[in-house]
Amino acid sequence: MNLLALDGAFVLEKLILIAVVISISLVVAMYATYVERKFAGFIQDRHGPNRAGPFGLLQPLADGLKLFFKEEIIPNNSNKLLFVLGPCLAMLTAMMTSAIIPWGGTVELFGQQVSLQIADINIGILYVFGVVSMGVYGMMIGGWASNNKFSLMAALRGASQAISYELAMGLSLIALLMLTGSLSLKTITEQQVTGLWNIVYQPVGFLIFFVCALAECNRAPFDLPEAESELNMGYHQEYSSMKLGFFLFAEYINMFISCAIIATLFFGGYDIPFVDESTWSGGAAAIGGVLALMTKTFILILVFMWIRWTLPRFRYDQLMNLGWKGLIPLALLNMVATGAVILLTMKQA
Amino acid sequence: MQSLTQRAKPVDRSPMTWLEKIYLWNIFKGMLITFRHFFKKRATIQYPEQKRPFSPVFRGLHILNRDEQGRENCTACGLCAVACPAEAITMEAAERLPGEEHLYREEKYAARYEINMLRCIFCGLCEEACPKDAIYLSETFAPANYSRKSFIYGKPDLLIPDPVKHPEEYAKAKGELDKKKSKP
Amino acid sequence: MSITQLLFWFLTALALGSALMVIFSKNPVHSILWLITTFFAISGHYILLNAQFLAIVNIIVYAGAIMVLFLFVVMLMNLNASATPLKKKWLRFAGVISGGCLLLVLTAALKDTDIMRQELMMKTGDIGLIHNLGTVLFKEYVLPFEISSVLFLSAMVGAVVIGKKE
């Protein structure tokens, strides 16, 4: 375990990288709320927020301030510790996934090769699944600790949705992993930099993964855990002030991270399309890579929003049917087909 | 049954084809529709800066009219109160004393004239009932307030500005009234 | 004391402590949460043994899926301390005896094995890495592996049959 042979510069480098990544994801999540509202406005022939600051750009700050100044309510009969733990867990798990995304290649800073990835672990994508499966607990603990049956039902609804779609998500990825032969996101990206993007090989896998990512992020049309209009809010019904804000904020961070993961897995990560970066100097290539990944991520976030403001919400049985009877068999078929193709091409070679 | 409009379309209840069942194409079509709305003209009116023009038949807050010399037209005959279907108007009549000729046009005037704006339905029947050209519905609406009491408008709130003392404001209010009077 | 050892003792204390809390908490939901903490501590141990794949699978499967189902059941049944009836004395006694027997058997079985005599393999083992584990599973132990997967399949079919029953 060489990781634990600690080295000052290494720790400092990683700490700075973690701080930067987390603050970037916070800012992106903050402005995702703004973009979401603007986007919704444009789709509905409105302007969206435009009062706070030029073009309403200060709106996220105003929203945050408002949440902080709201009254903090902890229900009398709730389990206080767990009630507070719920949003903390939601935030924590949302942030943790960002650790393994390769944000770019390597840069040379102060005579050291700095990789723009917090941790390149050999189980990469499985780590994401582990953390995502932990995300359920924030929801469930929060819903249960509220001591409100509607919160509890919503928490169960959300948890069972998350578990169901995690399966299809994992199965859709297995086909991709058979192609890449590696779980490390860094390796997967580097394969795409030199070769074609994975979306070319795995269009069905991408589709399944994308739908499941929508469901995992509780985005419309799968936003049943928090259907405020017809299902009496969601697991965060009893939450107020910034604790509610944390739950909602965690979802935007989740959306950002999952878009980054989709971009990494299927759209070449920090690869700039139609350009050969290998001729560039190290710094320029790294910065260009980061920008490329960010652009891809933002486009995916916009697609998430576009879908949200187009499609109506699923009914719960439709959601379960789609997950268990639609996506999982499709993912299995995709897996078998990919395996067959790999086997055939290997025999010919 | 004969359809009422040309646009009526019978519901298609035939079972979905395989392509329809996977929804993808329809989702794509729906997303194209929302995308097209992205470039459409916004329907919003930016309220405090822009205001939607009132229609000529708009009925807003009441105004008690004065004549050119600034004398109140109202004689407290009570016809508006009788006409009011919401019973929002209350008034108290008083006799004009010598020396008050410059204030009131006729011998009798309204010492108290109150309209409860929470009861008022802005139907305009008071305007039609008035024989003295004394009450009009203007083009403003009642601003929000915190207490019920503040919605009972008395004479100071209702009277048009004095043409002698405040000619500019009077002219402004008058302009709106004239526009209203000239309507068909 | 190196950092690895520090981590080892910390994780051990965490695992044992939270395992005890599983038993001693009155509220079943708290028990489950402590059990999740135990799983995390065990995953930490796996990572110390350089078995990252096992560590993460432990989290995904046990902490992420099975414990969620436990929570489902407990939350929906609304168990709490006052609702659980007091067990009879002889039942507790029988429980202690049978648990003690299991412990005895386990320790007796493990006491004389080679693994126990060895020093703990810290950061040297590589069986827990995904590649090696896959090779072993699909070469040496392919029959037991497939049999266990058939077992899982039959369990799933059984669940569906029970669920379909009118």
Side-chain angles (χ1 to χ4, degrees):
Chain A
M1 190 106 262
N2 295 325
L3 250 178
L4 297 170
L6 292 177
D7 154 28
F10 175 80
V11 171
L12 192 68
E13 172 201 321
K14 290 299 176 196
L15 277 181
I16 291 173
L17 200 59
I18 289 170
V20 168
V21 166
I22 283 185
S23 33
I24 287 180
S25 23
L26 283 177
V27 170
V28 168
M30 215 163 98
Y31 271 89
T33 62
Y34 166 77
V35 173
E36 169 114 57
R37 292 174 61 186
K38 269 284 186 209
F39 201 89
F42 287 159
I43 277 178
Q44 296 164 356
D45 296 346
R46 297 184 284 115
H47 285 279
N50 62 355
R51 293 282 147 173
F55 304 106
L57 274 173
L58 298 179
Q59 189 68 43
L61 292 179
D63 288 345
L65 271 183
K66 187 197 87 168
L67 280 173
F68 271 116
F69 285 119
K70 287 254 170 178
E71 188 186 353
E72 188 100 27
I73 299 168
I74 296 184
N76 263 346
N77 287 325
S78 66
N79 189 319
K80 307 243 170 4
L81 179 72
L82 293 184
F83 190 76
V84 180
L85 189 67
C88 297
L89 268 181
M91 261 323 233
L92 181 75
T93 49
M95 300 282 206
M96 268 168 74
T97 5
S98 62
I100 54 135
I101 296 173
W103 299 100
T106 45
V107 226
E108 204 173 300
L109 274 180
F110 311 115
Q112 272 192 329
Q113 288 290 327
V114 178
S115 165
L116 291 182
Q117 183 183 19
I118 296 173
D120 181 20
I121 41 180
N122 60 8
I123 40 167
I125 194 69
L126 281 180
Y127 168 84
V128 175
F129 280 100
V131 175
V132 166
S133 64
M134 285 299 101
V136 178
Y137 286 113
M139 207 189 278
M140 285 196 85
I141 289 175
W144 180 77
S146 307
N147 196 27
N148 174 332
K149 60 184 92 164
F150 292 110
S151 300
L152 179 61
M153 295 314 285
L156 296 181
R157 203 162 58 221
S160 45
Q161 169 181 334
I163 294 181
S164 312
Y165 277 79
E166 225 167 79
L167 281 176
M169 201 177 199
L171 286 176
S172 75
L173 263 192
I174 288 178
L176 179 74
L177 297 178
M178 290 198 301
L179 280 173
T180 58
S182 167
L183 286 167
S184 156
L185 288 175
K186 186 99 181 167
T187 320
I188 292 176
T189 312
E190 261 151 22
Q191 281 173 357
Q192 293 178 83
V193 172
T194 46
L196 282 170
W197 288 359
N198 281 331
I199 175 106
V200 181
Y201 303 114
Q202 283 290 326
V204 182
F206 162 69
L207 198 70
I208 299 168
F209 192 85
F210 187 77
V211 173
C212 294
L214 279 178
E216 289 289 323
C217 294
N218 295 337
R219 295 286 299 178
F222 303 102
D223 54 348
L224 283 146
E226 47 190 289
E228 61 273 37
S229 48
E230 74 264 32
L231 288 175
N232 209 338
M233 266 300 257
Y235 51 89
H236 42 49
Q237 193 178 30
E238 293 286 349
Y239 283 89
S240 60
S241 184
M242 204 54 207
K243 289 211 280 300
L244 172 71
F246 273 167
F247 269 128
L248 304 182
F249 212 65
E251 270 171 17
Y252 279 93
I253 299 175
N254 274 334
M255 180 166 79
F256 171 57
I257 302 287
S258 58
C259 283
I261 288 173
I262 293 176
T264 311
L265 286 175
F266 292 98
F267 293 98
Y270 51 79
D271 174 36
I272 309 169
F274 314 118
V275 176
D276 184 19
E277 312 92 319
S278 55
T279 54
W280 297 10
S281 72
I287 291 169
V290 173
L291 288 181
L293 179 61
M294 282 294 171
T295 318
K296 288 169 196 171
T297 311
F298 290 147
I299 291 173
L300 280 167
I301 289 179
L302 285 181
V303 173
F304 267 46
M305 291 176 179
W306 187 7
I307 287 175
R308 169 162 180 194
W309 295 104
T310 303
L311 297 181
R313 196 173 280 146
F314 274 103
R315 215 170 51 213
Y316 201 66
D317 60 321
Q318 290 172 331
L319 176 121
M320 282 296 161
N321 272 345
L322 178 69
W324 288 98
K325 295 184 190 165
L327 294 180
I328 290 180
L330 191 64
L332 283 172
L333 268 182
N334 184 38
M335 206 169 95
V336 170
T338 315
V341 169
I342 290 177
L343 207 63
L344 284 177
T345 46
M346 265 167 68
K347 266 197 184 145
Q348 278 166 2
Chain B
M1 203 182 85
Q2 200 187 350
S3 61
L4 294 171
T5 60
Q6 299 292 320
R7 285 170 299 174
K9 218 167 135 188
V11 181
D12 182 16
R13 292 202 191 279
S14 55
M16 286 192 286
T17 60
W18 182 79
L19 204 67
E20 281 171 333
K21 258 186 198 154
I22 58 171
Y23 289 116
L24 276 181
W25 174 241
N26 287 317
I27 285 174
F28 185 66
K29 273 203 290 192
M31 287 178 68
L32 266 187
I33 290 173
T34 43
F35 190 66
R36 243 178 273 140
H37 273 271
F38 221 88
F39 304 103
K40 283 204 175 151
K41 198 176 160 291
R42 317 259 166 265
T44 317
I45 289 174
Q46 304 279 343
Y47 170 63
E49 294 96 45
Q50 292 174 8
K51 278 178 186 154
R52 192 191 289 275
F54 287 120
S55 81
V57 292
F58 183 82
R59 298 188 294 257
L61 279 184
H62 310 69
I63 273 186
L64 282 179
N65 207 3
R66 296 178 199 260
D67 65 3
E68 294 78 24
Q69 292 146 43
R71 298 178 303 188
E72 288 170 23
N73 277 1
C74 181
T75 62
C77 63
L79 279 178
C80 47
V82 171
C84 183
E87 298 187 356
I89 304 180
T90 334
M91 66 179 71
E92 223 166 68
E95 203 173 331
R96 186 179 66 184
L97 296 174
E100 285 182 337
E101 285 86 356
H102 66 288
L103 289 177
Y104 312 110
R105 199 168 61 174
E106 298 185 27
E107 293 91 55
K108 192 163 149 253
Y109 71 97
R112 200 162 67 93
Y113 192 98
E114 281 174 356
I115 302 180
N116 187 342
M117 291 300 172
L118 292 175
R119 298 199 66 136
C120 178
I121 57 170
F122 301 98
C123 60
L125 286 183
C126 46
E127 185 181 339
E128 276 176 39
C130 186
K132 293 289 179 189
D133 211 17
I135 187 165
Y136 279 99
L137 268 57
S138 68
E139 289 194 340
T140 46
F141 35 80
N145 214 321
Y146 288 108
S147 65
R148 282 166 184 274
K149 213 170 178 181
S150 61
F151 282 102
I152 298 174
Y153 280 41
K155 265 177 82 172
D157 310 305
L158 295 167
L159 268 175
I160 198 166
D162 195 319
V164 184
K165 288 178 193 155
H166 310 283
E168 280 164 30
E169 287 141 52
Y170 173 77
K172 192 166 162 263
K174 188 74 182 163
E176 282 169 12
L177 276 193
D178 285 343
K179 205 167 71 190
K180 207 161 169 70
K181 275 187 208 168
S182 65
K183 80 188 174 200
Chain C
M1 215 189 240
S2 75
I3 283 205
T4 317
Q5 268 175 318
L6 264 178
L7 273 175
F8 172 80
W9 287 114
F10 171 70
L11 287 172
T12 312
L14 187 66
L16 290 178
S18 44
L20 284 177
M21 285 306 289
V22 175
I23 303 170
F24 291 131
S25 0
K26 285 254 159 87
N27 192 327
V29 172
H30 291 181
S31 288
I32 292 177
L33 296 178
W34 281 116
L35 194 52
I36 295 166
T37 324
T38 316
F39 283 133
F40 268 93
I42 292 173
S43 279
H45 277 302
Y46 277 132
I47 291 178
L48 285 186
L49 292 169
N50 204 16
Q52 288 117 341
F53 179 69
L54 285 182
I56 208 75
V57 165
N58 183 38
I59 285 181
I60 294 176
V61 174
Y62 285 98
I66 292 179
M67 283 300 114
V68 171
L69 295 182
F70 270 47
L71 266 185
F72 262 44
V73 173
V74 171
M75 283 180 181
L76 280 180
M77 280 165 69
N78 200 15
L79 295 171
N80 42 37
S82 60
T84 37
L86 274 176
K87 303 278 188 310
K88 289 191 185 73
K89 256 217 176 95
W90 63 267
L91 201 62
R92 290 195 203 173
F93 195 63
V96 169
I97 293 279
S98 52
C101 284
L102 183 65
L103 183 70
L104 205 68
V105 169
L106 281 178
T107 35
L110 287 174
K111 194 166 67 85
D112 291 332
T113 48
D114 292 339
I115 301 169
M116 289 308 280
R117 296 216 186 104
Q118 282 173 10
E119 187 81 0
L120 191 56
M121 291 188 299
M122 213 68 99
K123 63 188 173 183
T124 47
D126 52 2
I127 189 68
L129 297 179
I130 185 163
H131 186 259
N132 304 334
L133 195 69
T135 318
V136 171
L137 270 184
F138 282 99
K139 285 218 168 109
E140 287 172 40
Y141 298 102
V142 69
L143 190 67
F145 184 70
E146 290 300 326
I147 287 175
S148 63
S149 66
V150 170
L151 193 69
F152 276 120
L153 189 69
S154 60
M156 266 164 72
V157 172
V160 170
V161 168
I162 291 171
K164 280 263 176 196
K165 209 158 62 182
E166 294 301 303

